[in-house]
Short mmCIF file of all heavy atoms in Angstrom, two decimals:
data_model
loop_
_atom_site.label_atom_id
_atom_site.label_comp_id
_atom_site.label_asym_id
_atom_site.label_seq_id
_atom_site.Cartn_x
_atom_site.Cartn_y
_atom_site.Cartn_z
N GLY Y 457 -219.06 18.02 152.00
CA GLY Y 457 -220.51 17.88 151.87
C GLY Y 457 -220.94 16.95 150.77
O GLY Y 457 -222.09 17.02 150.31
N GLU Y 458 -220.06 16.04 150.35
CA GLU Y 458 -220.40 15.08 149.28
C GLU Y 458 -221.07 13.86 149.93
O GLU Y 458 -220.47 12.78 150.01
CB GLU Y 458 -219.16 14.72 148.50
CG GLU Y 458 -218.55 15.91 147.78
CD GLU Y 458 -217.46 15.49 146.82
OE1 GLU Y 458 -217.53 14.39 146.25
OE2 GLU Y 458 -216.53 16.28 146.62
N ILE Y 459 -222.30 14.06 150.37
CA ILE Y 459 -222.95 13.06 151.21
C ILE Y 459 -223.41 11.83 150.44
O ILE Y 459 -223.80 10.84 151.05
CB ILE Y 459 -224.13 13.67 151.97
CG1 ILE Y 459 -225.20 14.15 150.99
CG2 ILE Y 459 -223.66 14.82 152.86
CD1 ILE Y 459 -226.48 14.57 151.66
N SER Y 460 -223.35 11.86 149.12
CA SER Y 460 -223.78 10.68 148.35
C SER Y 460 -222.64 9.70 148.13
O SER Y 460 -222.88 8.61 147.60
CB SER Y 460 -224.34 11.13 146.99
OG SER Y 460 -223.34 11.80 146.23
N LYS Y 461 -221.43 10.04 148.53
CA LYS Y 461 -220.32 9.14 148.32
C LYS Y 461 -220.44 7.93 149.26
O LYS Y 461 -220.84 8.08 150.41
CB LYS Y 461 -218.99 9.86 148.58
CG LYS Y 461 -218.68 10.98 147.60
CD LYS Y 461 -218.46 10.46 146.20
CE LYS Y 461 -218.08 11.57 145.24
NZ LYS Y 461 -217.96 11.09 143.84
N PRO Y 462 -220.07 6.76 148.77
CA PRO Y 462 -220.10 5.59 149.65
C PRO Y 462 -218.88 5.60 150.58
O PRO Y 462 -217.80 6.03 150.16
CB PRO Y 462 -220.03 4.40 148.68
CG PRO Y 462 -219.37 4.95 147.45
CD PRO Y 462 -219.75 6.39 147.37
N TYR Y 463 -219.08 5.19 151.84
CA TYR Y 463 -220.34 4.66 152.34
C TYR Y 463 -220.78 5.50 153.52
O TYR Y 463 -219.97 5.81 154.41
CB TYR Y 463 -220.16 3.21 152.79
CG TYR Y 463 -219.82 2.27 151.66
CD1 TYR Y 463 -218.50 2.03 151.33
CD2 TYR Y 463 -220.81 1.65 150.92
CE1 TYR Y 463 -218.17 1.18 150.28
CE2 TYR Y 463 -220.50 0.79 149.87
CZ TYR Y 463 -219.17 0.56 149.56
OH TYR Y 463 -218.86 -0.27 148.53
N ASP Y 464 -222.08 5.94 153.54
CA ASP Y 464 -222.71 6.59 154.69
C ASP Y 464 -222.15 7.96 155.01
O ASP Y 464 -222.14 8.39 156.17
CB ASP Y 464 -222.60 5.67 155.93
CG ASP Y 464 -223.09 4.27 155.65
OD1 ASP Y 464 -224.21 4.14 155.13
OD2 ASP Y 464 -222.35 3.31 155.91
N CYS Y 465 -221.69 8.68 153.98
CA CYS Y 465 -221.19 10.04 154.22
C CYS Y 465 -222.28 10.96 154.74
O CYS Y 465 -221.99 11.90 155.49
CB CYS Y 465 -220.60 10.62 152.93
SG CYS Y 465 -218.97 9.96 152.53
N ASP Y 466 -223.55 10.70 154.35
CA ASP Y 466 -224.63 11.56 154.83
C ASP Y 466 -224.79 11.47 156.34
O ASP Y 466 -224.96 12.48 157.02
CB ASP Y 466 -225.94 11.21 154.12
CG ASP Y 466 -226.33 9.74 154.25
OD1 ASP Y 466 -225.46 8.92 154.63
OD2 ASP Y 466 -227.50 9.40 153.95
N PHE Y 467 -224.70 10.26 156.89
CA PHE Y 467 -224.87 10.09 158.33
C PHE Y 467 -223.71 10.75 159.09
O PHE Y 467 -223.93 11.44 160.09
CB PHE Y 467 -224.95 8.60 158.68
CG PHE Y 467 -225.25 8.34 160.13
CD1 PHE Y 467 -226.55 8.44 160.59
CD2 PHE Y 467 -224.25 8.00 161.01
CE1 PHE Y 467 -226.84 8.22 161.93
CE2 PHE Y 467 -224.52 7.76 162.35
CZ PHE Y 467 -225.82 7.87 162.82
N VAL Y 468 -222.50 10.56 158.59
CA VAL Y 468 -221.34 11.15 159.26
C VAL Y 468 -221.39 12.67 159.17
O VAL Y 468 -221.07 13.38 160.13
CB VAL Y 468 -220.02 10.61 158.67
CG1 VAL Y 468 -218.82 11.24 159.37
CG2 VAL Y 468 -219.97 9.10 158.80
N TYR Y 469 -221.81 13.19 158.00
CA TYR Y 469 -221.91 14.65 157.86
C TYR Y 469 -222.88 15.22 158.90
O TYR Y 469 -222.59 16.25 159.53
CB TYR Y 469 -222.38 15.01 156.45
CG TYR Y 469 -222.43 16.51 156.22
CD1 TYR Y 469 -221.31 17.19 155.75
CD2 TYR Y 469 -223.58 17.23 156.50
CE1 TYR Y 469 -221.34 18.56 155.56
CE2 TYR Y 469 -223.62 18.60 156.31
CZ TYR Y 469 -222.51 19.26 155.84
OH TYR Y 469 -222.54 20.63 155.67
N SER Y 470 -224.01 14.58 159.09
CA SER Y 470 -224.97 15.05 160.10
C SER Y 470 -224.35 15.01 161.49
O SER Y 470 -224.60 15.90 162.31
CB SER Y 470 -226.24 14.20 160.07
OG SER Y 470 -226.98 14.44 158.90
N GLU Y 471 -223.57 13.99 161.78
CA GLU Y 471 -222.98 13.87 163.11
C GLU Y 471 -222.13 15.08 163.47
O GLU Y 471 -222.07 15.50 164.62
CB GLU Y 471 -222.14 12.60 163.20
CG GLU Y 471 -222.95 11.32 163.25
CD GLU Y 471 -222.06 10.10 163.39
OE1 GLU Y 471 -221.21 9.87 162.50
OE2 GLU Y 471 -222.22 9.36 164.39
N VAL Y 472 -221.45 15.63 162.47
CA VAL Y 472 -220.50 16.71 162.76
C VAL Y 472 -220.99 18.09 162.36
O VAL Y 472 -220.41 19.10 162.75
CB VAL Y 472 -219.14 16.45 162.07
CG1 VAL Y 472 -218.54 15.15 162.55
CG2 VAL Y 472 -219.25 16.47 160.55
N ASN Y 473 -222.10 18.18 161.58
CA ASN Y 473 -222.43 19.49 161.03
C ASN Y 473 -223.92 19.76 160.88
O ASN Y 473 -224.31 20.70 160.18
CB ASN Y 473 -221.77 19.65 159.64
CG ASN Y 473 -221.32 21.08 159.40
OD1 ASN Y 473 -221.07 21.83 160.34
ND2 ASN Y 473 -221.23 21.45 158.15
N ALA Y 474 -224.79 18.96 161.51
CA ALA Y 474 -226.22 19.21 161.40
C ALA Y 474 -226.60 20.52 162.09
O ALA Y 474 -225.88 21.03 162.94
CB ALA Y 474 -227.00 18.04 162.01
N ASP Y 475 -227.76 21.09 161.71
CA ASP Y 475 -228.33 22.22 162.43
C ASP Y 475 -229.26 21.71 163.51
O ASP Y 475 -230.00 20.73 163.32
CB ASP Y 475 -229.11 23.12 161.47
CG ASP Y 475 -228.21 24.00 160.62
OD1 ASP Y 475 -227.00 24.06 160.93
OD2 ASP Y 475 -228.70 24.61 159.66
N LYS Y 476 -229.22 22.36 164.65
CA LYS Y 476 -230.03 21.96 165.81
C LYS Y 476 -231.23 22.91 165.90
O LYS Y 476 -231.06 24.13 166.00
CB LYS Y 476 -229.19 21.99 167.07
CG LYS Y 476 -229.91 21.55 168.31
CD LYS Y 476 -228.96 21.20 169.46
CE LYS Y 476 -228.03 22.32 169.85
NZ LYS Y 476 -227.28 22.02 171.08
N LEU Y 477 -232.45 22.35 165.87
CA LEU Y 477 -233.68 23.14 165.88
C LEU Y 477 -234.53 22.77 167.09
O LEU Y 477 -234.69 21.59 167.41
CB LEU Y 477 -234.49 22.92 164.60
CG LEU Y 477 -233.77 23.17 163.26
CD1 LEU Y 477 -234.72 22.91 162.10
CD2 LEU Y 477 -233.20 24.57 163.20
N PHE Y 478 -235.07 23.79 167.75
CA PHE Y 478 -235.96 23.58 168.89
C PHE Y 478 -237.35 24.13 168.53
O PHE Y 478 -237.49 25.28 168.12
CB PHE Y 478 -235.42 24.31 170.13
CG PHE Y 478 -234.11 23.78 170.61
CD1 PHE Y 478 -232.93 24.36 170.21
CD2 PHE Y 478 -234.06 22.68 171.46
CE1 PHE Y 478 -231.71 23.86 170.65
CE2 PHE Y 478 -232.86 22.18 171.90
CZ PHE Y 478 -231.68 22.76 171.49
N TRP Y 479 -238.35 23.26 168.68
CA TRP Y 479 -239.72 23.60 168.33
C TRP Y 479 -240.58 23.61 169.59
O TRP Y 479 -240.49 22.72 170.43
CB TRP Y 479 -240.30 22.58 167.36
CG TRP Y 479 -239.50 22.41 166.09
CD1 TRP Y 479 -238.45 21.58 165.88
CD2 TRP Y 479 -239.71 23.11 164.87
NE1 TRP Y 479 -237.98 21.71 164.61
CE2 TRP Y 479 -238.73 22.65 163.94
CE3 TRP Y 479 -240.62 24.09 164.44
CZ2 TRP Y 479 -238.65 23.11 162.65
CZ3 TRP Y 479 -240.54 24.55 163.15
CH2 TRP Y 479 -239.58 24.06 162.27
N ARG Y 480 -241.46 24.63 169.69
CA ARG Y 480 -242.41 24.69 170.79
C ARG Y 480 -243.68 23.99 170.37
O ARG Y 480 -244.31 24.36 169.36
CB ARG Y 480 -242.69 26.14 171.18
CG ARG Y 480 -243.58 26.27 172.41
CD ARG Y 480 -243.56 27.69 172.93
NE ARG Y 480 -244.31 27.82 174.16
CZ ARG Y 480 -244.27 28.89 174.94
NH1 ARG Y 480 -243.50 29.92 174.59
NH2 ARG Y 480 -244.97 28.95 176.04
N TYR Y 481 -244.04 22.95 171.14
CA TYR Y 481 -245.22 22.14 170.83
C TYR Y 481 -246.33 22.52 171.83
O TYR Y 481 -246.18 22.32 173.03
CB TYR Y 481 -244.88 20.66 170.96
CG TYR Y 481 -246.05 19.73 170.70
CD1 TYR Y 481 -246.42 19.39 169.40
CD2 TYR Y 481 -246.76 19.19 171.76
CE1 TYR Y 481 -247.49 18.53 169.17
CE2 TYR Y 481 -247.83 18.33 171.54
CZ TYR Y 481 -248.18 18.00 170.24
OH TYR Y 481 -249.25 17.16 170.02
N SER Y 482 -247.45 23.02 171.32
CA SER Y 482 -248.54 23.48 172.19
C SER Y 482 -249.78 22.62 172.09
O SER Y 482 -250.80 22.93 172.72
CB SER Y 482 -248.91 24.94 171.84
OG SER Y 482 -247.79 25.79 172.04
N GLY Y 483 -249.72 21.54 171.34
CA GLY Y 483 -250.87 20.66 171.23
C GLY Y 483 -251.03 20.13 169.81
O GLY Y 483 -250.43 20.65 168.86
N VAL Y 484 -251.87 19.10 169.70
CA VAL Y 484 -252.04 18.43 168.43
C VAL Y 484 -252.54 19.38 167.35
O VAL Y 484 -252.11 19.34 166.19
CB VAL Y 484 -253.02 17.23 168.57
CG1 VAL Y 484 -253.28 16.59 167.23
CG2 VAL Y 484 -252.47 16.23 169.57
N ASN Y 485 -253.46 20.25 167.70
CA ASN Y 485 -254.09 21.12 166.71
C ASN Y 485 -253.41 22.49 166.62
O ASN Y 485 -253.92 23.39 165.94
CB ASN Y 485 -255.58 21.30 167.03
CG ASN Y 485 -256.32 19.99 166.97
OD1 ASN Y 485 -256.08 19.18 166.06
ND2 ASN Y 485 -257.22 19.77 167.91
N GLN Y 486 -252.31 22.67 167.31
CA GLN Y 486 -251.62 23.94 167.31
C GLN Y 486 -250.36 23.86 166.44
O GLN Y 486 -249.70 22.82 166.39
CB GLN Y 486 -251.21 24.33 168.74
CG GLN Y 486 -252.39 24.46 169.69
CD GLN Y 486 -253.35 25.54 169.25
OE1 GLN Y 486 -252.95 26.64 168.86
NE2 GLN Y 486 -254.64 25.23 169.30
N PRO Y 487 -250.06 24.93 165.74
CA PRO Y 487 -248.85 24.90 164.90
C PRO Y 487 -247.58 24.89 165.73
O PRO Y 487 -247.54 25.42 166.84
CB PRO Y 487 -248.97 26.20 164.08
CG PRO Y 487 -249.78 27.12 164.94
CD PRO Y 487 -250.76 26.23 165.66
N LEU Y 488 -246.57 24.24 165.19
CA LEU Y 488 -245.26 24.27 165.83
C LEU Y 488 -244.65 25.65 165.66
O LEU Y 488 -244.85 26.32 164.64
CB LEU Y 488 -244.33 23.22 165.20
CG LEU Y 488 -244.66 21.76 165.45
CD1 LEU Y 488 -243.74 20.88 164.60
CD2 LEU Y 488 -244.50 21.39 166.91
N LYS Y 489 -243.88 26.05 166.64
CA LYS Y 489 -243.18 27.33 166.56
C LYS Y 489 -241.69 27.09 166.74
O LYS Y 489 -241.27 26.49 167.74
CB LYS Y 489 -243.68 28.30 167.63
CG LYS Y 489 -242.94 29.64 167.60
CD LYS Y 489 -243.39 30.56 168.71
CE LYS Y 489 -242.60 31.88 168.66
NZ LYS Y 489 -243.00 32.80 169.75
N LEU Y 490 -240.91 27.53 165.78
CA LEU Y 490 -239.46 27.40 165.90
C LEU Y 490 -238.99 28.46 166.89
O LEU Y 490 -239.10 29.66 166.65
CB LEU Y 490 -238.78 27.60 164.54
CG LEU Y 490 -237.26 27.50 164.53
CD1 LEU Y 490 -236.81 26.11 164.93
CD2 LEU Y 490 -236.71 27.86 163.17
N ILE Y 491 -238.48 28.00 168.03
CA ILE Y 491 -238.07 28.95 169.06
C ILE Y 491 -236.56 29.11 169.15
O ILE Y 491 -236.07 30.01 169.82
CB ILE Y 491 -238.63 28.54 170.45
CG1 ILE Y 491 -238.19 27.12 170.82
CG2 ILE Y 491 -240.14 28.66 170.48
CD1 ILE Y 491 -238.65 26.70 172.20
N ARG Y 492 -235.84 28.24 168.47
CA ARG Y 492 -234.38 28.43 168.46
C ARG Y 492 -233.78 27.64 167.31
O ARG Y 492 -234.17 26.50 167.06
CB ARG Y 492 -233.75 27.97 169.78
CG ARG Y 492 -232.24 28.18 169.85
CD ARG Y 492 -231.71 27.81 171.22
NE ARG Y 492 -230.27 27.89 171.30
CZ ARG Y 492 -229.56 29.00 171.51
NH1 ARG Y 492 -230.20 30.14 171.67
NH2 ARG Y 492 -228.25 28.96 171.59
N LYS Y 493 -232.89 28.27 166.62
CA LYS Y 493 -232.12 27.62 165.57
C LYS Y 493 -230.63 27.76 165.93
O LYS Y 493 -230.13 28.86 166.10
CB LYS Y 493 -232.38 28.27 164.22
CG LYS Y 493 -231.55 27.69 163.08
CD LYS Y 493 -231.71 28.49 161.80
CE LYS Y 493 -231.09 29.87 161.94
NZ LYS Y 493 -231.09 30.61 160.65
N ASP Y 494 -229.98 26.61 166.06
CA ASP Y 494 -228.56 26.63 166.46
C ASP Y 494 -227.74 25.98 165.36
O ASP Y 494 -227.78 24.76 165.17
CB ASP Y 494 -228.39 25.88 167.78
CG ASP Y 494 -226.98 25.95 168.33
OD1 ASP Y 494 -226.11 26.54 167.66
OD2 ASP Y 494 -226.74 25.42 169.44
N THR Y 495 -227.00 26.79 164.62
CA THR Y 495 -226.14 26.25 163.55
C THR Y 495 -224.73 25.97 164.04
O THR Y 495 -223.88 25.53 163.26
CB THR Y 495 -226.07 27.23 162.37
OG1 THR Y 495 -225.47 28.46 162.82
CG2 THR Y 495 -227.46 27.51 161.82
N LEU Y 496 -224.48 26.23 165.32
CA LEU Y 496 -223.12 26.07 165.87
C LEU Y 496 -223.04 24.97 166.91
O LEU Y 496 -221.96 24.71 167.44
CB LEU Y 496 -222.67 27.39 166.52
CG LEU Y 496 -222.81 28.66 165.69
CD1 LEU Y 496 -222.38 29.87 166.51
CD2 LEU Y 496 -221.98 28.56 164.42
#
Side-chain angles (χ1 to χ4, degrees):
E458 297 190 30
I459 63 172
S460 62
K461 295 294 183 185
Y463 295 90
D464 309 308
C465 283
D466 55 345
F467 186 80
V468 180
Y469 183 89
S470 290
E471 288 182 300
V472 300
N473 216 24
D475 283 349
K476 183 163 56 172
L477 305 180
F478 295 94
W479 303 87
R480 185 167 184 168
Y481 178 82
S482 299
V484 175
N485 298 318
Q486 300 298 316
L488 292 172
K489 178 183 179 181
L490 180 63
I491 57 177
R492 182 175 175 83
K493 177 187 68 173
D494 185 357
T495 63
L496 309 177

